[in-house]
């Protein structure tokens, strides 16, 4: 069960990435009342260029536990990008179940400001760091001008509109309702009310996606402590009630169509009737719409109509991204899995002050990530009551 | 084999021809070089020449650092494969396009509207 968690989010953190990590780990361990010596598993993720601007750590599996002073039995690097945090918690729980370990630390984050200041993203880190190849086919498509991942999701949004008649206003509604959720969230960076007009009047970054539909990369970490022992933790004994993952390995042009995500498969078999709130990966407004469709909240192509007739705020009939999502909290190190997982835990523990969903007993979290939406993880957290 | 395919692609680009790979066992066509077929694991692959004619599968536009408008997207070629590309002029989804090679030393396939 999850016995502790914490987050540290900064627009720009001046200290080292390790320092920021250590602070966040300490807060999570304090909540869990667990010592360093009791941690026998570490799950973590790192993206190129977001650990103090270095392309990667040499043996991150050594450097991270070494700095933190942890001597685990199990170390696992989960490289799904966005949904990594969800997978870490699931795998930690599984290893605890079979008795391999007792207590695991799950770590997601890093510093994104370094790339942001140099006007690149992790999908363009090759343009800044020398001698980095993103794929085996770089010489065939890195010759073009793109703004990935923004332009990649713009291609999806454009095609979604062409195929299904989805309007810019409909996508903007997602940003507007998520902002309503953010107004009461002390963790949110953006807390001024937003209208559809504001979204539509914001600068077009990559047609049709506008500035207010795009996540802001920040510095930060999320840490989750999963343990067999509840100790003094006041948190509800949450379990992973449903878990699915799916990985589509095609380059986007080679997918059957770009308007589908692997969430179609990772969510296969989940019972939506029993879900009280949804945390859907929100790197962009279109990402949220794709998941609404792919997990089955509405039919493929009907995401636009769905948000027109459904109140998705925390007080609404289908609460989605109840803390405002990463569109409003910011995206630490280009991965939002920690943001949506933390919000789910807050909701389930009645800790979401001013944005609490009434009677939240079961929350669905869906993470999307990796190279161009290659990975999807669907997870339901609850107490396991039937 | 992988390096050979990539070399062949560059040679064809130099001659303003658009290459793609065809698996002679299962018939699968694809653009991004692999030395085995991702559908049937065959190594019986041929580098073929595309007619270079297709339609716009999706597109986006944005401004680069010099404020120039860039048109970027995915093209679906008649031979059944898709690739990323930049467009020389504004296009919309469904528009018919034809390859046009740009660049002096190493040529790059762009697309223009037919
Ligand atoms: Zn084949």
């Amino acid at each position: 069960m999850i016995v502790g968690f914490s987050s540290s989010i900064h627009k720009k953190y001046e200290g080292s990435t390790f320092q920021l990590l250590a602070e966040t780990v300490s807060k999570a361990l304090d909540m869990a009342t667990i010592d360093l010596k009791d941690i026998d598993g570490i799950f973590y993720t790192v993206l190129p260029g977001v650990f103090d601007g270095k392309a990667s750590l040499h043996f991150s599996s050594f450097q991270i536990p070494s700095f933190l002073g942890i001597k685990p039995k199990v170390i696992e690097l989960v490289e799904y990008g966005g949904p990594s945090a969800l997978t870490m918690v699931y795998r930690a729980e599984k290893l605890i179940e079979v008795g391999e370990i007792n207590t695991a630390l799950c770590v997601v984050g890093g510093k994104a400001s370094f790339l942001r200041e140099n006007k690149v993203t992790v999908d363009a880190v090759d343009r800044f760091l020398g001698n980095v190849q993103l794929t085996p086919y770089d010489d065939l498509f890195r010759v073009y001008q793109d703004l990935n991942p923004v332009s990649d999701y713009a291609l999806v949004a454009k095609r979604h509109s062409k195929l299904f008649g989805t309007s810019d206003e409909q996508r903007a509604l997602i940003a507007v309702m998520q902002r309503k959720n953010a107004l009461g969230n002390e963790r949110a960076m953006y807390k001024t009310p937003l209208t559809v007009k504001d979204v539509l009047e914001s600068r077009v970054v990559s047609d049709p996606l506008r500035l207010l539909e795009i996540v802001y990369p920040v510095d930060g970490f999320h840490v989750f402590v999963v343990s067999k022992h509840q100790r003094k933790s006041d948190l509800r004994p949450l379990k992973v009630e449903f878990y699915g993952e799916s990985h589509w390995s095609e380059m986007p042009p080679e997918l059957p169509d770009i308007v589908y995500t692997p969430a179609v498969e990772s969510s296969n078999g989940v019972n939506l009737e029993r879900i009280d709130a949804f945390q859907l990966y929100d790197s962009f407004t279109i990402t949220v719409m794709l998941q609404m469709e792919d997990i089955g909240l509405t039919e493929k192509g009907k995401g636009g109509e769905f948000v027109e007739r459904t109140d998705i705020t925390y007080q609404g009939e289908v609460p989605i991204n109840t803390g405002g999502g990463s569109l409003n909290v910011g995206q630490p190190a280009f991965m939002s899995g920690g943001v949506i997982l933390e919000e789910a835990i807050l909701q389930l523990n009645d800790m979401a002050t001013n944005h609490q969903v009434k009677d939240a007993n079961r929350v669905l979290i869906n993470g999307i990530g990796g190279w161009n939406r290659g990975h999807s993880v669907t997870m339901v957290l609850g107490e396991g009551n039937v | 084999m992988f390096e050979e395919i990539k070399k062949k692609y560059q040679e064809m680009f130099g001659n303003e021809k658009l290459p793609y790979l065809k698996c002679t066992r299962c018939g699968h066509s694809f653009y991004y070089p692999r030395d085995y077929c991702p559908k049937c694991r065959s190594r019986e692959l041929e580098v073929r020449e595309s007619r270079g004619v297709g339609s716009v599968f999706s597109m986006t536009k944005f401004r680069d650092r010099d404020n120039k408008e860039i048109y970027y997207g995915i093209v679906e070629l008649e031979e059944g494969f898709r690739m990323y590309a930049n467009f020389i002029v504004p296009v919309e989804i469904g528009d018919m396009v034809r390859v046009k090679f740009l660049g002096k030393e190493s040529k790059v396939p762009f697309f223009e509207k037919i």
Side-chain angles (χ1 to χ4, degrees), chain A residues 94-250:
Chain A
K94 285 286 151 194
L95 284 188
I96 290 167
E97 248 174 57
V98 297
E100 289 274 338
I101 57 170
N102 288 317
T103 299
L105 202 59
C106 304
V107 172
V108 55
K111 282 183 69 173
S113 56
F114 177 82
L115 295 186
R116 194 181 71 217
E117 282 163 6
N118 286 289
K119 298 195 184 314
V120 294
T121 69
V122 281
D123 285 357
V125 73
D126 56 320
R127 297 198 167 123
F128 184 72
L129 300 164
N131 203 24
V132 171
Q133 198 172 344
L134 300 181
T135 73
Y137 329 113
D138 274 18
D139 36 358
L140 286 181
F141 75 97
R142 299 303 286 155
V143 293
Y144 298 117
Q145 284 209 58
D146 65 61
L147 282 183
N148 280 345
V150 183
S151 53
D152 174 66
Y153 275 91
L155 296 180
V156 177
K158 188 85 171 181
R159 189 163 167 81
H160 200 275
S161 293
K162 176 74 181 181
L163 292 179
F164 309 119
T166 312
S167 66
D168 293 352
E169 286 79 3
Q170 289 169 332
R171 276 197 329 277
L173 273 172
I174 294 173
V176 168
M177 287 193 272
Q178 285 198 195
R179 179 62 62 87
K180 274 190 191 163
N181 289 337
L183 300 181
N185 182 5
E186 57 180 18
R187 287 167 165 80
M189 177 162 65
Y190 298 112
K191 279 190 276 200
T192 48
L194 201 63
T195 64
V196 167
K197 191 162 169 277
D198 293 333
V199 179
L200 297 181
E201 282 176 357
S202 68
R203 179 171 68 86
V204 173
V205 177
S206 188
D207 177 47
L209 295 181
R210 293 174 168 81
L211 191 65
L212 293 176
E213 299 182 69
I214 298 169
V215 81
Y216 190 85
V218 295
D219 297 344
F221 279 96
H222 284 87
V223 173
F224 304 93
V225 185
V226 183
S227 182
K228 187 178 164 184
H229 311 290
Q230 198 167 15
R231 311 243 175 166
K232 289 185 206 139
S233 175
D234 296 328
L235 298 178
R236 282 170 82 172
L238 299 176
K239 294 186 181 72
V240 177
E241 293 189 8
F242 174 92
Y243 184 85
E245 51 179 279
S246 174
H247 308 282
W248 289 357
S249 58
E250 293 99 328

Side-chain angles (χ1 to χ4, degrees), chain B residues 22-28 30 36-45:
Chain B
K22 176 100 179 168
C23 170
T24 53
R25 193 158 91 185
C26 78
H28 181 51
F30 54 101
Y36 98 128
C37 171
K39 286 269 186 282
C40 76
R41 292 192 287 126
S42 160
R43 297 184 65 115
E44 293 155 30
L45 304 169

Side-chain angles (χ1 to χ4, degrees), chain A residues 311-368:
Chain A
D311 181 357
I312 62 166
T313 67
Y314 73 95
Q315 291 163 315
E317 62 240 76
V318 186
I320 296 176
N321 295 341
T322 47
S326 41
L327 281 175
N328 295 298
V329 172
Q331 186 178 47
F334 298 92
M335 295 175 287
S336 300
V339 176
I340 53 178
L341 178 56
E342 181 180 53
E343 176 63 20
I345 298 168
L346 290 172
Q347 288 294 340
L348 288 163
N349 284 285
D350 215 15
M351 290 165 77
T353 318
N354 297 324
H355 61 285
Q356 179 66 48
V357 173
K358 210 167 156 282
D359 300 326
N361 291 312
R362 200 169 275 111
V363 177
L364 181 147
I365 314 149
N366 200 92
I368 296 278

